[in-house]
Amino acid sequence: MSKDEVFARIDDDEPRLVEIAEDLWDNPELGLHEEESAERLIEALSAEGFEIERGVGGMPTAFVATYGDEGPTIGILGEYDALPGLSQSVTAEKDPIEAGGPGHGCGHNLFGTAGVGAVVALKESIDAGEIDGTVVFYGCPAEETLVGKTYMARAGVFDDLDAALTWHPGTLSTPRMGASNALNSLMFTFEGVSAHAAGAPESGRSALDGVELLNTGVEYMREHITDDARIHYAITNGGQAPNVVPSEATVWYFVRAPEREEVERNTEWLRDIAGAAATMSQTEVSERFLTGCYDYRANEVVTDAIWENMREIGPIDYDEADREFAADLKATVPDDRIDAQLSDVPDELYEEIRDEPLYSEPVEAFDEGQQSHGSTEVGDVSWITPTGQFRGATWPVGAPGHSWQVVAANGDFGLKGITFAAKVLAGATYDLLADPERLAAARAEFDEEIGTDAYETPLPPEAEPPVDVTAMGDD
C-alpha cells in the first residue's frame, strides 16, 4: 500500500470522519469530562483492531490506542475538549444553542478526528508490509487547561516514541517552528476568620485581603521579570457578601516564561509573596498545583516531513459557498482584532491574505525563531521525543480562536480540513517509518538540542488531575 493509497483510504473514509467530528461538535464536553467524545474515538479505533489503554495518567478520558508490535514507534496526538460559554449554532450571528453552554471554539472536534483517520489509514500500510513499525494515537484530554499531556507524560506513555506528530485548526495551513512559553498553573487559597464587617470588623481576618495583597505584590514583581515572561490571575472566590468578612478566598495564577527554569524561579517568588500576604493579613495560605508544562521545541527533521506532505497534498478544497459563509463570519470580527490575529504574519503574506475570507494554500513555516507568549503541553512531548506540528486552515482569515465565529466554522466548512490534516499526519508518519535514516536524523537532532535525560515532570508528586477545574485555559 503506497502513500498515495494511504491518501485514497483517507478520502474514502471522509464520510465517517465527518460524522465523528459532527458528533463531537454536537456534544461538546469540557476538559477531563469528555466521556462521550473519548468513547466515540475509542469505538472507531477499537473497530479497526487497535489495542486500547484507558484511564491513562489518572484521567478517565485519556487513552492510548496502539497498532503494530515491532519496528519504530510514531505517535499522533489528538484532542477533543471544548470550551465553556461558547455554544453556537452554524450561523453568521451570535446564536448560542444552549445559553452558557460549551462549544468547540478551538476546533478540537476536528483535531482528534483527523488523528484517528491518519492512524487507521497507516494501519493498512502496516498490514500490507509496506512499512514496518507501530502507530499510536494518544487521546489527550483537557488541553484547554494544559493538563492532559503533562499528566500523560508523568505516566511515561511517550517515553518509547521515536517521533510524535500533531496539528491544530487555525487561520493558515503552515508548519509550526516557533517556541512557546513554559507554564505553571496554581491556586492559592487564604483562610481567615469571618465576622460582621460593620458590627465587629476587629474580630475578623479577611481572606480576600490576603488575595488582594498577593495580587498587589505581584504587580510590583512584574518590574523585575523578563519582557517575555507573563503572570496573570483570576479571583475564583472572593467572598459572598460585603457585610461578611470573607473567611476564604482563592486566586488562580498562570506563570509563563520562555524556559522552564525561569517559570520555576518566578513561581518561587510568587510563593514568597503569597506567604508574605498571609502574614500581613493574619490569615493562612495553602497552594494547589494544578499543572505545568514545558516550552515547545520543534524538531526540524519531523517538521520538514510535515511540510513536504503539506505541499504534496495542496490546499483544502473549499467551494464558493464555504467562502461566502467564511466572509459572513469574518464581517462580524472588528478590523483591529483581525489585524491582531495576523500580527505575526510576514508583511508580504499579510497583504496577500488580509482581505481573503479563507486561505487554504499551504504556507511555509514563517515563525522560526519566534517566541509565542501562549503555552501548550505539546511542549512536554517535544522534550521527550522528536516532535513536529502544523496548523490547518479551517477558520476564516483573522478570526480569533476561542470565539463563536470559530465554533460556527468548525461545524460547517472547517469539517473539510479533517482529510487534509489526516493526510499530512499519515503522509509524514509514512515517510518517517519508510526511511530509517530520516528517523535517525530526527533523533540525532533531538539528542543534540535537548538530550534524552532533559525532561523532568513539572508536577509535584501530590498533584492530581484537576477534574473540578473546567475554566478556560490557553493554547
Side-chain angles (χ1 to χ4, degrees), residues 6 41 68 95 113 116 176 203 208-209 216 265 349 414 454 457:
V6 171
L41 300 180
D95 178 34
T113 305
V116 168
R176 180 172 179 179
S203 299
L208 180 59
D209 286 354
T216 299
R265 287 200 310 270
L349 180 59
T457 179

Side-chain angles (χ1 to χ4, degrees), residues 22 26 91 105 148 193-194 214 346 348 363 382 428 470:
E22 288 179 329
D26 288 337
T91 183
V193 179
S194 62
L214 167 57
E348 184 176 346
V363 175
S382 76
T470 58

Side-chain angles (χ1 to χ4, degrees), residues 109-163:
N109 63 312
L110 317 177
F111 191 157
T113 305
V116 168
V119 296
V120 167
L122 288 164
K123 165 222 168 183
E124 297 195 5
S125 291
I126 294 172
D127 287 344
E130 186 73 25
I131 52 176
D132 293 323
T134 299
V135 292
V136 185
F137 177 84
Y138 291 92
C140 305
E143 186 277 338
E144 297 296 352
T145 44
L146 299 163
V147 167
K149 299 176 196 66
T150 300
Y151 281 85
M152 294 173 81
R154 186 173 69 174
V157 300
F158 306 115
D159 290 353
D160 296 328
L161 287 180
D162 292 280

Side-chain angles (χ1 to χ4, degrees), residues 286-304:
S286 60
E287 174 192 322
R288 181 185 179 190
F289 194 97
L290 300 176
T291 190
C293 65
Y294 274 64
D295 48 301
Y296 175 68
R297 300 289 182 92
N299 184 274
E300 189 170 344
V301 174
V302 177
T303 308
D304 283 347

